[in-house]
Amino acid sequence: MSKTSLKTKDADNYREPPVNAALAAEYGLNGDEYERVLKILGRTPSFTEMSIFSVMWSEHCSYKSSKIHLKKLPTAAPWVIQGPGENAGVIDIGDGEAAIFKMESHNHPSFIEPYQGAATGVGGIMRDIFTMGARPIANINALRFGDPAHPKTRHLVSGVVAGIAGYGNCMGVPTVGGETQFHPAYNGNILVNAMTVGIADQDKIYYSRGASVGMPVVYVGAKTGRDGIHGATMASAEFEEGVEGERPTVQVGDPFTEKLLLEACLELMQTDSIVSIQDMGAAGLTSSSVEIADKGEVGVALELDRVPMREPHMLPFELMLSESQERMLMILQPGREAQAEAIFKKWDLDFAVIGRTTADRRLVLTMYGRTWCDIPVPPLVNEAPVYDRPRGPRAVLPPFTSPAAKDTPLKELEKLMGCPDMASKRWIWEQYDSLVRGETWAGPGLHDNQTGRAADAALVRTGSCKALAITSDCTPRYCLADPHEGGKQAVAESYRNLCATGARPLAVTNNLNFGNPEKPEIMAQFAGCIEGMAEACRALDYPVISGNVSLYNETSGQAILPTPVIGGVGLIWNWRNAMDMGFKEAGRPVLLVGGPGTHLGCSLYLREIHGREDGPPPPVDLAREKRHGRFIRFLIRAGLITACHDISDGGLLCTLAEMALAGKTGAALTVPAAASSPAFWFGEDQARYVVTARGHLTSALITLAGFLARVPVQTVGVTAPGPLSLDGKDLTRDRLVQLHEGWLPTYMGGSP
């Protein structure tokens, strides 16, 4: 996407190019949208004004293709304090405390410049959290890369992981979990989704709304440079081959400055000087000033000469559209400027009063003795186009035939545990500090874990007896085959992961990653996933309180798999009652909760063992999910089980292998009649868990499950020292570790 440049050689003669429909199209405004701008203004906009409309009406900022579908998501519950519409969502976690969280993408920048793209993605999502008055306590990330054999994949993995580690570690916020998957559909467009969770007092939450007339507009943080200009526009268009020319649109981060900004903001927030506050994220000073003005129903007059600048001779459109990092915009109580400035100067940060709020609801920008922009604020938000894009028909899947086994279950397990999606991501998470702050109860990894525990969700104590359980989940292959069921399943798996720790699921954030919405088949994927997610969230009392939409994730017409990532948060009132997944000691009965596997369509087994990616995804029965999840939480609270793990990728046998790795204890597995089918061991049927019971309580537990809870439970083995044993054959722990641990370090070391 080429951009017309401005000539600024003569610092005394700043000129803008004349605006017309062709130039507007270069910046993402189509013909109808440009005509709408002309009608709103009653004249031709200046270049700065046109640039502001282009970013505010971009897909990234206005959600013009997704807004009508996002309204289908449930967002309210008695424990929801703030739903979508602010920097992040807020839920009540008791004792006057609130959890504040959100997930966002930095996909396009991370493909162009993997280190800076990923680093600034992490920095941006943390700012969304502490902007609202919360101290970040945990990060997680959801990463999707292309085929490991693709020539760019190794470089992208290395850069993205280093960027996440570099920023999060320097900020002193633990990275406690996440997911990493590989598929050729991401060869030209990787996904980097970052989530942050913070804690705040409920009476100290800050919002972007609240400004009134005659208040100072204050810029704080780092200086503004030319990095990231038109980043929002770049994120709202497809890639073509050769994206190197987009590097100027990628932001450059400095985590040390952000750490200072975090502490300075939280200190100022203790003084009640702040009326409203907004992070300068996508579209920078433009979006932050417009959002504060719109929510406060005021205007904003800015003197851009006062903006702290990193580079000389910057033009107004550059200052307004720059996405330089580590910056905030605040509206202060009049008379508090000196107090605020003293705090930011103490933390060695820039502080500048750059304007005032006004009664006329206009955005007015002056610089170099000229007015460069004078436009009404409401149309920038309220008159942004909203599209109901055409949708293709729901796909009709051909008949599916389950395959026969190719080898013994343990031999097929070996291949699955060493494949890229199932293999240990230790090489990744060891670069992250998961223990900083000292409140991580369960973090990443399966065995020899730094924290000593591995659970289905990360568990982070809040400083009291409570702990938050945090997870991120999505199965894109399900969403491609059947978007509606795939959307339901992403929510259901998140729900299960929280239940398996003993946490009550409270709310979700989401990151909706899709291709070009102007294509009916992509819009069908998006709408189908949203409708499935909405159905699941309603059924499970699990509202959506924040999120992000990332569209146009495709290169040269090749779209990614539909990837609606769900970030879930749950609460455990006493972290000492939390449950991990590891087998504890020999002699514990191993129980399958939820019934035997029957479904191999869309499974990892089908792809990795048989080279097929066909069939329907497993159906999701939401009533069963809720009933089984409640039963699991009851078992944990009652102390009836000693380990719990939900069944997902790879089915029952992969779940058992992960529990053995996590607990350094094997199991002697029972072979029921149904086990002659691969679906018993590798089917990915939903609403299922594996638990280990206290031996003397096993019969009572099974009776309780069947007669009172209507949950099927059966014994599939008993924990034992040494290997996994099945049908007279063994898989030693050493062999399992070698297979599980070996692939990623070997790959990143340069071997195929």
Side-chain angles (χ1 to χ4, degrees):
M1 177 169 50
S2 63
K3 292 287 187 294
T4 301
S5 61
L6 298 182
K7 296 181 180 179
T8 60
K9 292 181 180 179
D10 183 357
D12 297 320
N13 188 23
Y14 298 103
R15 297 183 183 276
E16 293 185 332
V19 174
N20 54 38
L23 182 63
E26 285 190 45
Y27 287 83
L29 290 172
N30 65 33
D32 290 341
E33 292 167 353
Y34 180 63
E35 287 298 320
R36 185 179 298 192
V37 172
L38 296 179
K39 184 177 179 180
I40 289 169
L41 297 182
R43 58 176 171 82
T44 300
S46 70
F47 182 80
T48 297
E49 291 169 336
M50 184 274 294
S51 296
I52 287 171
F53 272 101
S54 77
V55 294
M56 290 304 300
W57 287 7
S58 69
E59 193 73 60
H60 194 70
C61 291
S62 74
Y63 287 21
K64 57 190 175 186
S65 296
S66 59
K67 190 175 292 185
I68 62 170
H69 298 286
L70 296 176
K71 292 178 181 178
K72 302 171 186 176
L73 295 169
T75 60
W79 53 89
V80 174
I81 296 172
Q82 173 66 54
E86 274 291 341
N87 286 291
V90 186
I91 56 173
D92 181 352
I93 59 170
D95 303 319
E97 291 183 316
I100 300 179
F101 60 95
K102 188 181 182 182
M103 179 180 282
E104 284 199 340
S105 62
H106 231 219
N107 302 335
H108 286 58
S110 297
F111 187 77
I112 298 167
E113 289 281 3
Y115 183 93
Q116 289 296 348
T120 52
V122 171
I125 192 61
M126 282 196 279
R127 285 197 303 280
D128 281 340
I129 302 309
F130 71 78
T131 297
M132 298 193 70
R135 180 171 292 278
I137 64 166
N139 292 330
I140 69 172
N141 49 74
L143 311 177
R144 264 83 187 178
F145 297 103
D147 186 342
H150 191 276
K152 278 192 173 182
T153 300
R154 187 181 287 111
H155 161 72
L156 292 169
V157 172
S158 178
V160 165
V161 171
I164 292 170
Y167 213 103
N169 294 355
C170 290
M171 284 290 292
V173 178
T175 300
V176 296
E179 52 183 335
T180 303
Q181 296 176 347
F182 297 83
H183 193 279
Y186 304 103
N187 282 349
N189 205 125
I190 64 173
L191 301 184
V192 177
N193 296 172
M195 175 178 173
T196 297
V197 180
I199 298 293
D201 292 336
Q202 292 182 23
D203 61 353
K204 289 289 184 181
I205 297 172
Y206 286 82
Y207 301 94
S208 56
R209 60 181 182 264
S212 56
V213 176
M215 292 182 166
V217 180
V218 176
Y219 172 118
V220 298
K223 290 179 169 60
T224 297
R226 289 188 170 95
D227 55 314
I229 294 175
H230 271 292
T233 308
M234 177 268 291
S236 304
E238 285 186 44
F239 276 155
E240 297 296 336
E241 290 294 343
V243 296
E244 290 77 11
E246 298 288 355
R247 284 200 176 98
T249 63
V250 178
Q251 307 89 341
V252 178
D254 179 357
F256 298 103
T257 298
E258 178 135 328
K259 175 63 173 173
L260 299 177
L261 183 62
L262 163 66
E263 300 301 339
C265 286
L266 294 182
E267 182 175 341
L268 182 60
M269 286 169 174
Q270 300 306 308
T271 69
D272 295 325
S273 297
I274 299 173
V275 175
S276 62
I277 180 170
Q278 180 69 44
D279 163 42
M280 291 191 216
L285 188 52
T286 292
S287 63
S288 56
S289 56
V290 168
E291 288 179 26
I292 281 177
D294 181 66
K295 290 175 182 177
E297 298 185 353
V298 296
V300 171
L302 302 181
E303 299 177 48
L304 297 181
D305 309 77
R306 298 185 178 186
V307 173
M309 291 175 240
R310 197 169 64 227
E311 303 177 44
H313 312 313
M314 292 188 71
L315 286 164
F317 94 97
E318 294 175 315
L319 290 169
M320 292 302 293
L321 271 60
S322 168
E323 294 181 10
S324 293
Q325 298 291 284
E326 296 88 39
R327 303 177 302 154
M328 297 281 190
L329 195 69
M330 297 178 176
I331 306 298
L332 295 183
Q333 295 283 2
R336 300 291 184 89
E337 296 92 329
Q339 180 186 29
E341 182 174 13
I343 290 173
F344 280 89
K345 293 299 183 184
K346 181 185 79 172
W347 290 100
D348 199 24
L349 294 166
D350 280 289
F351 177 98
V353 178
I354 63 171
R356 309 284 295 182
T357 56
T358 61
D360 57 10
R361 302 199 69 184
R362 299 185 72 82
L363 177 65
V364 179
L365 308 176
T366 58
M367 190 176 189
Y368 304 134
R370 287 176 51 188
T371 298
W372 298 77
C373 171
D374 187 350
I375 56 180
V377 168
L380 290 170
V381 179
N382 303 330
E383 295 189 39
V386 177
Y387 296 120
D388 187 359
R389 305 278 192 191
R391 286 187 251 173
R394 183 168 179 171
V396 178
L397 297 173
F400 174 75
T401 303
S402 290
K406 280 192 170 183
D407 210 327
T408 66
L410 289 182
K411 283 295 183 184
E412 292 179 327
L413 174 66
E414 289 186 17
K415 187 169 184 179
L416 282 170
M417 292 300 288
C419 77
D421 278 5
M422 288 293 294
S424 168
K425 304 307 185 292
R426 175 186 290 274
W427 184 91
I428 293 175
W429 58 256
E430 280 193 336
Q431 298 183 53
Y432 305 151
D433 190 339
S434 61
L435 297 177
V436 63
R437 298 186 70 254
E439 299 292 353
T440 305
W441 188 88
L446 284 178
H447 59 88
D448 298 332
N449 186 11
Q450 297 179 64
T451 66
R453 303 176 189 89
D456 278 22
L459 290 166
V460 181
R461 294 183 293 251
T462 65
S464 60
C465 288
K466 300 193 297 283
L468 294 179
I470 309 163
T471 184
S472 101
D473 298 285
C474 184
T475 312
R477 61 184 184 274
Y478 294 174
C479 297
L480 179 66
D482 187 330
H484 189 272
E485 286 299 308
K488 286 167 62 178
Q489 191 276 337
V491 173
E493 185 171 348
S494 166
Y495 182 87
R496 284 198 305 276
N497 282 332
L498 298 177
C499 289
T501 69
R504 179 192 172 193
L506 290 178
V508 307
T509 182
N510 57 45
N511 209 140
L512 309 177
N513 307 274
F514 291 81
N516 184 343
E518 298 168 46
K519 297 179 178 178
E521 65 272 21
I522 300 299
M523 211 57 227
Q525 293 173 357
F526 183 84
C529 284
I530 287 282
E531 288 159 6
M533 291 164 53
E535 182 182 345
C537 288
R538 281 193 296 270
L540 299 174
D541 299 321
Y542 197 30
V544 178
I545 64 165
S546 61
N548 172 249
V549 177
S550 176
L551 301 177
Y552 294 95
N553 288 290
E554 54 184 272
T555 298
S556 299
Q558 178 60 52
I560 62 165
L561 299 180
T563 312
V565 178
I566 297 294
V569 173
L571 178 66
I572 298 177
W573 279 102
N574 188 337
W575 59 264
R576 295 172 183 85
N577 297 330
M579 184 60 58
D580 63 24
M581 69 170 67
F583 289 153
K584 301 298 185 295
E585 66 270 328
R588 298 290 188 191
V590 180
L591 306 179
L592 168 60
V593 177
T598 61
H599 193 97
L600 284 177
C602 270
S603 65
L604 202 61
Y605 172 85
L606 190 69
R607 188 180 82 191
E608 297 297 328
I609 303 300
H610 294 273
R612 293 169 51 184
E613 295 189 67
D614 62 321
V620 180
D621 183 330
L622 294 167
R624 290 181 79 238
E625 289 285 359
K626 191 171 188 178
R627 186 167 65 250
H628 294 188
R630 284 178 168 174
F631 180 65
I632 288 293
R633 299 201 306 271
F634 164 76
L635 295 180
I636 293 171
R637 287 196 306 271
L640 299 177
I641 59 176
T642 59
C644 183
H645 190 12
D646 92 302
I647 297 176
S648 55
D649 281 354
L652 172 61
L653 199 50
C654 287
T655 300
L656 292 164
E658 290 177 338
M659 297 176 81
L661 286 170
K664 305 180 186 179
T665 299
L669 303 177
T670 306
V671 185
S676 58
S677 163
F680 180 86
W681 294 114
F682 302 109
E684 296 177 6
D685 303 62
Q686 301 293 290
R688 299 192 301 151
Y689 305 78
V690 173
V691 303
T692 54
R694 303 184 188 279
H696 63 290
L697 297 175
T698 303
S699 296
L701 189 156
I702 293 175
T703 300
L704 178 68
F707 287 100
L708 296 182
R710 295 182 294 119
V711 178
V713 176
Q714 67 186 90
T715 302
V716 294
V718 62
T719 57
L724 282 177
S725 300
L726 175 62
D727 199 19
K729 298 178 175 60
D730 294 342
L731 176 58
T732 68
R733 187 175 186 279
D734 287 346
R735 174 64 174 158
L736 195 54
V737 169
Q738 178 188 20
L739 292 166
H740 189 60
E741 290 281 339
W743 180 78
L744 189 54
T746 301
Y747 173 70
M748 294 308 297
S751 298

